[in-house]
Amino acid sequence: MYLKRKIDDFLYQWKNEPSRKPLIVKGSRQVGKTESVLRFAAENYDSVIEINFIRDEKYKSIISDGYSAADIVKNISLINPSAKFIPGKTLIFFDEITEFPEIATALKFFCIDGRFDVICSGSMLGVNYRKIESNSVGYKKDYEMYSMDFEEFLWASGYGEETVEDMLAHMREFRPFGETEMRVFRSLFLDYCVLGGMPAVVSEFIAKKTFEGSLDTQKQLIADYKEDIRKYAYGIDQTRILNVFNRIVPQLAKENKKFQISKVAPGARFRDYRGCAEWLADAGMVNICYCMEFPELPLGGNYDPDVFKLFFADTGLLVSMLDEEAQQDLRANKNLGVYKGALYENIVGEALVKQGYKLYYYKKDDSTLESDFFIRSLYSLIPVEVKAKTGKTKSAQQLISSGKYPDVRFAFKFSLNNIGHENGIYTFPYFCAFLLKRFMADFNAEEEKGL
């Protein structure tokens, strides 16, 4: 069963570009890159040449005579005489290019040649991307693919575009959802929290209508991630990166979710672990949320790179690493227990990243003043609060009203509450988080009028 993905529309748009460049589809393991590309290829090309550099190592010799399109096409034909290269109607799909990043040098020549479309893909690309980037700069287009977001989960569950548009209309009009809408969307969202967005997990759930087998699939993905760390990280860094990866869940469960290297292993020092979190982020396994030095604009140049929280890039994988008792309670009774704060914060952070936002938070050391995330409008710095239930937003109110933070004029809160607006706080249910960027596109806050 193929699950509709957002990359589908992007691929059609790319194909319709008159002077399209070779495309590199980036993304972590098992997010659906290969399946989506092959489905698109089968529907739009008379000939598809798929080369997987893990499965078919013999194709690593195709650059032996040089990087020109003609030489590579000739060598592919020598290895596979049945391959058909029809100008204007052929897609060459280089998969798992992490195993053979040298092929990126050829993208320039395929771009100049123009006879054949080229798509490259592979997991762990972020770790080796500097080499790929330098070999093809200016002659390629990139697409970052993630695990399924809540919108794609709704599609998989049978809901269409009209459902999503209606949800967005509720937000834009500040029109509360009805009782049935709240009940249904909350239930769907909780299923999504437990499952995450890995296509293999979601498709199994959709087919069986139960969580049966989902935990086993998730745990296998975690095992695969750990194997990737052992394969692609070198030397002593393997152990340190694994230590960081394994300590994310227990540190998120604490009230202060700042990631503490001292808690990773006995005697661990920050300088010895420098770069481990960034490696995991480059691999697409985690999202890093940096602590702002002060809540003011600009966002990008106002944070401490050594102080951060770590979230899983897919919340379902976070769920799969909880202790056994929590697993049983969560799947059987939908009880999030002591992890509810971590899970909701992780999934809202995940939603922000999948919309193109970078993650920042603020925590004042000598007070309770803090904010889970920040985004910005043209004029304002906007706190984004995540409440496990329906909690109050004392910190957001203080940031807005104290006069010490002039860039903060209003805030967003995601919680169990329905839609509302009071004292500069715009409240939305959790299940609306994936729509925030579209909402912001034409949102004019009352608090910004006259600026």
Side-chain angles (χ1 to χ4, degrees):
M1 175 179 65
Y2 181 76
L3 301 178
K4 179 183 176 182
R5 303 299 304 278
K6 292 185 175 179
I7 193 176
D8 298 342
D9 287 340
F10 173 85
L11 290 171
Y12 287 114
Q13 292 169 12
W14 169 77
K15 190 177 187 306
N16 288 326
E17 293 174 2
S19 55
R20 57 190 166 277
K21 298 176 180 179
L23 176 66
I24 296 182
V25 179
K26 300 187 290 182
S28 61
R29 175 189 284 272
Q30 298 296 321
V31 297
K33 301 181 297 297
T34 299
E35 185 179 16
S36 294
V37 171
L38 288 178
R39 180 177 182 272
F40 161 77
E43 293 179 350
N44 290 275
Y45 293 89
D46 292 347
S47 178
V48 179
I49 314 297
E50 180 195 2
I51 296 174
N52 183 307
F53 288 112
I54 289 180
R55 185 184 64 221
D56 306 312
E57 290 195 21
K58 60 182 177 288
Y59 282 101
K60 292 181 180 180
S61 66
I62 60 177
I63 60 171
S64 59
D65 296 321
Y67 291 96
S68 74
D71 286 334
I72 290 175
V73 166
K74 178 192 70 176
N75 286 332
I76 293 174
S77 296
L78 286 172
I79 296 171
N80 178 14
S82 65
K84 296 180 181 179
F85 292 90
I86 308 168
K89 298 181 179 181
T90 298
L91 175 72
I92 304 173
F93 178 32
F94 295 119
D95 201 6
E96 300 293 356
I97 66 168
T98 310
E99 293 297 313
F100 192 56
E102 291 85 352
I103 195 64
T105 302
L107 299 185
K108 172 181 178 180
F109 301 99
F110 274 105
C111 183
I112 294 170
D113 182 280
R115 290 178 295 160
F116 312 110
D117 288 348
V118 177
I119 297 179
C120 299
S121 182
S123 56
M124 302 298 295
L125 278 182
V127 174
N128 295 312
Y129 203 63
R130 290 183 184 87
K131 184 174 183 180
I132 293 170
E133 176 71 29
S134 64
N135 288 348
S136 56
V137 62
Y139 293 95
K140 63 171 179 60
K141 187 168 188 173
D142 292 335
Y143 181 86
E144 187 79 29
M145 190 173 181
Y146 301 98
S147 64
M148 299 170 70
D149 68 4
F150 187 54
E151 181 171 12
E152 291 170 313
F153 183 78
L154 287 173
W155 295 342
S157 302
Y159 295 89
E161 300 284 352
E162 66 282 354
T163 299
V164 175
E165 286 302 316
D166 185 62
M167 293 170 72
L168 182 58
H170 274 279
M171 295 176 70
R172 287 173 171 165
E173 298 165 15
F174 298 103
R175 175 166 44 94
F177 290 98
E179 183 178 339
T180 300
E181 290 174 312
M182 287 291 287
R183 184 178 67 254
V184 170
F185 291 140
R186 277 177 178 170
S187 178
L188 286 164
F189 189 73
L190 192 53
D191 287 343
Y192 175 66
C193 287
V194 175
L195 295 164
M198 291 298 188
V201 179
V202 175
S203 61
E204 193 171 28
F205 174 77
I206 296 299
K208 295 179 178 179
K209 305 298 183 185
T210 72
F211 292 111
E212 180 189 353
S214 62
L215 179 57
D216 291 337
T217 305
Q218 289 169 328
K219 286 190 171 181
Q220 183 57 54
L221 287 168
I222 290 292
D224 291 341
Y225 275 13
K226 291 181 178 180
E227 184 58 34
D228 281 340
I229 294 171
R230 296 185 185 97
K231 182 176 181 179
Y232 293 104
Y234 301 102
I236 197 170
D237 282 349
Q238 292 180 9
T239 300
R240 290 173 178 161
I241 293 169
L242 279 168
N243 285 343
V244 171
F245 186 79
N246 288 329
R247 293 302 298 174
I248 295 173
V249 172
Q251 296 215 26
L252 279 178
K254 296 178 180 179
E255 188 170 344
N256 178 10
K257 297 178 178 62
K258 183 181 80 170
F259 195 84
Q260 296 175 283
I261 294 297
S262 61
K263 305 293 185 184
V264 168
R269 296 173 297 183
F270 188 87
R271 66 174 179 268
D272 296 329
Y273 279 78
R274 187 176 294 276
C276 291
E278 289 80 3
W279 192 97
L280 289 167
D282 286 343
M285 300 179 188
V286 305
N287 295 321
I288 304 178
C289 183
Y290 290 106
C291 184
M292 297 183 68
E293 294 177 331
F294 191 79
E296 65 182 1
L297 295 174
L299 267 174
N302 179 28
Y303 67 92
D304 186 340
D306 295 336
V307 182
F308 52 81
K309 303 180 198 175
L310 287 183
F311 297 106
F312 278 86
D314 184 86
T315 302
L317 300 185
L318 164 63
V319 169
S320 72
M321 294 184 74
L322 302 181
D323 56 75
E324 292 296 329
E325 293 76 15
Q327 289 284 351
Q328 293 173 3
D329 200 17
L330 181 57
R331 283 174 162 77
N333 304 314
K334 299 289 184 72
N335 180 20
L336 303 181
V338 298
Y339 296 102
K340 60 179 177 291
L343 289 170
Y344 281 128
E345 198 169 326
N346 196 104
I347 206 159
V348 171
E350 178 188 337
L352 294 177
V353 169
K354 288 177 176 178
Q355 293 170 81
Y357 290 110
K358 295 182 179 180
L359 300 184
Y360 303 96
Y361 77 103
Y362 180 69
K363 177 72 170 72
K364 193 172 183 179
D365 291 334
D366 57 354
S367 78
T368 59
L369 184 63
E370 60 183 320
S371 186
D372 298 319
F373 301 107
F374 285 93
I375 63 170
R376 65 164 300 171
S377 65
L378 184 61
Y379 303 106
S380 301
L381 179 68
I382 310 167
V384 178
E385 295 287 322
V386 182
K387 296 302 177 184
K389 292 184 178 179
T390 58
K392 296 181 179 179
T393 51
K394 294 180 180 178
S395 289
Q397 291 286 3
Q398 186 176 343
L399 287 167
I400 292 168
S401 61
S402 71
K404 297 178 182 178
Y405 314 100
D407 290 336
V408 180
R409 299 176 175 89
F410 61 97
F412 294 128
K413 180 177 79 169
F414 289 99
S415 70
L416 288 175
N417 293 99
N418 210 323
I419 292 174
H421 175 218
E422 185 178 10
N423 298 324
I425 308 295
Y426 294 84
T427 301
F428 300 106
Y430 297 121
F431 55 76
C432 290
F434 76 97
L435 288 166
L436 185 58
K437 195 156 195 174
R438 272 175 273 182
F439 169 78
M440 287 294 296
D442 59 2
F443 172 57
N444 296 306
E446 290 183 10
E447 293 79 6
E448 288 185 327
K449 290 180 179 177
L451 293 180

